[in-house]
Every structure is written in C-alpha cells, then in structure tokens.
Amino acid sequence: MAEQFGSIAAIGRLLGEVEALLKQPSVQMELGKRGINASIALVAAQGLEFYMEGNRVRAHEDFATAAEEIRARLEVPPSRLP
C-alpha cells in the first residue's frame, strides 16, 4: 500500500493484519470448521485493500472471483463442502 497517513493508513494496517491472520494455519482450520474457505476470504480482503488504494479494476477482479467461488460452493451440497 502506498505511504499514507491518518485513518486511511490505519485501515491499511488493519487489512494487512487480517491478511496475515487469514494465512495462519490455525485460523484457516477454525474458519474451515465453520464452512468458510480462508483462501476466498483472503481474495476478498485483498480486493478491499485494492479498493482502498483506489485500484477499482483489481478490486473488481478480486471481488468477482470471491463471489464466483462462493456461488460455486452454494451449488454444492453442504455435505461436500470442505
């Protein structure tokens, strides 16, 4: 993220922390138990980071990818979800 100050910088730091947490195996396991795919959550978090940077094209791509993946998993019977 480009060097910024104040509230925007704080949001950037928080998003970086969220991204780091989503990469931790223990967090991935906890989310998985709830039926949440950490990789999809990571793509969505990265999309939000791109959006906050003003990169709407990359944000759109990441949000679209996350939405497609979530939709695809909704079409799979719950017993087959990871």
Side-chain angles (χ1 to χ4, degrees):
M1 192 171 228
E3 186 174 346
Q4 297 177 344
F5 303 96
S7 300
I8 299 300
I11 292 170
R13 286 190 302 274
L14 287 173
L15 290 172
E17 290 179 33
V18 168
E19 187 174 330
L21 283 169
L22 289 170
K23 292 178 180 179
Q24 291 185 4
S26 60
V27 172
Q28 293 174 358
M29 285 179 34
E30 285 184 51
L31 291 173
K33 289 177 184 176
R34 297 179 60 203
I36 299 169
N37 184 300
S39 295
I40 297 171
L42 182 59
V43 170
Q46 290 169 337
L48 182 54
E49 188 171 1
F50 282 124
Y51 188 71
M52 296 303 298
E53 291 174 353
N55 190 339
R56 291 177 285 191
V57 172
R58 285 292 306 269
H60 175 268
E61 291 170 357
D62 282 355
F63 287 138
T65 297
E68 289 171 15
E69 291 295 329
I70 293 168
R71 182 177 23 260
R73 282 161 176 73
L74 288 174
E75 295 171 359
V76 176
S79 61
R80 305 230 15 218
L81 290 175

